[in-house]
Amino acid sequence: MLSQNTIDIVKSTAPLLAETGPKLTAHFYDRMFSHHPELKDIFNLTHQDSGRQREALFNAVYGYAANIDNLEVLLPVVEKIAQKHASFSITAEQYAIVGEHLLGTIDELFAPGQAVLDAWAEAYGLLSTVFIDREEAIYQENEAKTGGWRGTREFELVEKKPESDVITSFVFMPTDDQPVATYQPGQYIGIYLKADSFDNQEIRQYSLSGAPNGETYRISVKREDLGTVSSYLHQHLNEGDKVQLAAPSGDFFFRSEATQPVALISAGVGLTPMLAMLESIKDNHQAPIHWLHAAENHRQHAFGSHVAEIANTAEGVSSHVWYREPQGATADFEGFLDLSKLDTAVDWQNTTFYFCGPVGFMQHVAKQLKEKGVSESQMHYECFGPHKVL
């Protein structure tokens, strides 16, 4: 437990942090990487360059300071970050490095005096212990599963299949011929890549895009024009190549009762965790399943025929597709996803909604759901990259 004096001091610094903004975390990352360049093998430098990671860390630091007297409100955020850290194989030693440079940053930017530095050291010590303990529990849980492991494990790419003009699926099988751990539909795996064209090791998390089968993992990746890893996967990773994978992780997964109506809503490559959910529940869910998907056009629409077949053969599954610009191929609807088209088809107050896609799309969906009286407890979503509150 933190002393009241520490709580008061840390909480008093929250307005200063708010005023400083992401400049705080920019200074932190620059400082840490200059002393420990090896950590560039862990952090997503694309998110560093875009500012998304710095903004996410600032929000976390500020949130901790502002709520240090009521840490229970931070538990969902702690779980989300701990799951992500487990996919990066973060260690206790790395928390010590982060703490050193967080305190150094506070000292260099604000020169607040020893009492403030001591209070932040105590507060960070408590927070890091919470994360270290939770992440160790995740490592142990992953290791204890049938087919589970700790750290990374070697897999071979056994199938590479284009699903649309921009999305390709990759199926990986372990090289040790042992089973692979099951996962909750909606979770992701971490892929570790080293290539001559990379300045550093690159680690990414990609949602598993199929139901668990105990033998392989499938991810389906959109090729991004400026995406270092997605471009490498699409252009250079071939069947027979080896990669290192971390065990499945993530706090976004299907958790509804079989009698609960559900809607799986996605845009673009955001359909990947939704597809894992759909494939996992299509044969045993006892309530309606609504599949709602938005794509630019038919050329960018992945798994369209596969989902249509499920909707035609699985009882209780309905599919509704929007094309923003149809370009000659028809969908159920044209333009942006509009939930009013389904007013009579969906029981809004009793359905649980899972959604994934670009942040702007998810904000658009959340706004429509709230206007229909859907509560926040009915809504579950996943951001690809640093988390944002909708």
Side-chain angles (χ1 to χ4, degrees):
M1 295 293 293
L2 298 175
S3 67
Q4 188 60 49
N5 183 57
T6 291
I7 291 173
D8 292 342
I9 291 176
V10 171
K11 195 172 181 66
S12 73
T13 64
L16 182 60
L17 298 182
E19 181 181 343
T20 306
K23 176 184 175 182
L24 172 78
T25 44
H27 185 97
F28 161 77
Y29 278 120
D30 290 343
R31 189 183 200 278
M32 185 175 68
F33 287 146
S34 68
H35 287 82
H36 293 276
E38 74 277 6
L39 293 181
K40 292 182 179 180
D41 283 340
I42 296 175
F43 286 85
N44 184 330
L45 297 184
T46 299
H47 288 162
Q48 290 291 323
D49 293 339
S50 70
R52 294 173 66 192
Q53 187 62 53
R54 298 179 180 200
E55 179 185 357
L57 178 61
F58 167 75
N59 290 338
V61 172
Y62 173 74
Y64 184 47
N67 294 283
I68 196 166
D69 54 348
N70 184 22
L71 294 180
E72 286 191 3
V73 303
L74 300 178
L75 291 180
V77 177
V78 168
E79 181 62 17
K80 185 174 294 292
I81 294 173
Q83 292 284 342
K84 186 76 74 172
H85 283 182
S87 189
F88 282 109
S89 301
I90 297 298
T91 66
E93 292 75 19
Q94 290 161 345
Y95 274 100
I97 293 172
V98 168
E100 173 191 349
H101 293 286
L102 177 62
L103 293 178
T105 295
I106 292 172
D107 190 26
E108 290 168 3
L109 288 184
F110 309 124
Q114 195 59 46
V116 171
L117 294 177
D118 289 345
W120 265 98
E122 182 185 349
Y124 177 79
L126 173 64
L127 184 63
S128 64
T129 297
V130 170
F131 275 112
I132 290 168
D133 290 348
R134 177 60 188 132
E135 288 156 25
E136 176 59 27
I138 294 171
Y139 295 141
Q140 292 182 15
E141 290 166 8
N142 287 339
E143 195 172 21
K145 291 178 181 178
T146 299
W149 71 97
R150 177 189 285 256
T152 60
R153 180 178 174 188
E154 186 179 72
F155 281 71
E156 178 181 340
L157 178 62
V158 296
E159 182 182 1
K160 181 177 181 179
K161 179 184 177 183
E163 307 288 359
S164 75
D165 282 1
V166 294
I167 296 173
T168 293
S169 288
F170 302 82
V171 179
F172 298 100
M173 179 177 289
T175 58
D176 58 14
D177 297 323
Q178 297 300 307
V180 299
T182 190
Y183 53 89
Q184 298 287 351
Q187 290 189 305
Y188 50 77
I189 54 170
I191 183 168
Y192 291 56
L193 297 169
K194 294 182 179 179
D196 292 340
S197 59
F198 295 169
D199 292 330
N200 303 97
Q201 173 180 261
E202 298 285 353
I203 307 174
R204 295 293 187 274
Q205 286 82 29
Y206 291 110
S207 296
L208 291 149
S209 61
N213 61 26
E215 298 177 353
T216 61
Y217 293 133
R218 184 181 73 187
I219 61 174
S220 302
V221 181
K222 180 185 178 184
R223 184 186 67 254
E224 302 287 354
D225 292 339
L226 300 178
T228 300
V229 172
S230 69
S231 295
Y232 175 81
L233 292 173
H234 276 254
Q235 298 171 15
H236 301 292
L237 193 71
N238 298 309
E239 292 179 4
D241 289 345
K242 310 296 194 301
V243 299
Q244 296 290 323
L245 299 182
S249 299
D251 70 326
F252 174 73
F253 51 83
F254 189 82
R255 58 185 79 204
S256 299
E257 298 292 334
T259 55
Q260 179 77 39
V262 296
L264 310 176
I265 309 175
S266 59
V269 76
L271 59 71
T272 51
M274 303 298 121
L275 188 58
M277 296 180 189
L278 179 64
E279 289 187 356
S280 298
I281 67 174
K282 62 183 177 63
D283 295 325
N284 52 27
H285 204 69
Q286 301 165 24
I289 302 169
H290 305 283
W291 174 271
L292 284 61
H293 180 65
E296 285 292 306
N297 50 57
H298 69 286
R299 290 188 299 275
Q300 295 191 28
H301 182 191
F303 297 102
S305 59
H306 177 57
V307 171
E309 181 180 357
I310 292 174
N312 288 332
T313 58
E315 185 177 354
V317 178
S318 62
S319 172
H320 307 275
V321 176
W322 280 256
Y323 287 162
R324 192 176 69 85
E325 295 181 351
Q327 298 183 0
T330 59
D332 299 301
F333 305 104
E334 181 177 343
F336 293 106
L337 189 143
D338 180 0
L339 295 181
S340 69
K341 302 293 186 182
L342 305 176
D343 271 345
T344 60
V346 177
D347 180 357
W348 302 103
Q349 270 59 59
N350 294 303
T351 296
T352 301
F353 300 86
Y354 298 84
F355 49 103
C356 185
V359 170
F361 166 81
M362 292 196 295
Q363 290 171 334
H364 173 66
V365 170
K367 180 176 183 292
Q368 293 181 76
L369 290 175
K370 291 173 183 176
E371 289 172 351
K372 292 184 177 299
V374 175
S375 67
E376 289 191 6
S377 65
Q378 293 172 255
M379 293 186 274
H380 307 280
Y381 62 94
E382 175 84 315
C383 291
F384 292 161
H387 184 69
K388 284 183 176 289
V389 177
L390 301 185

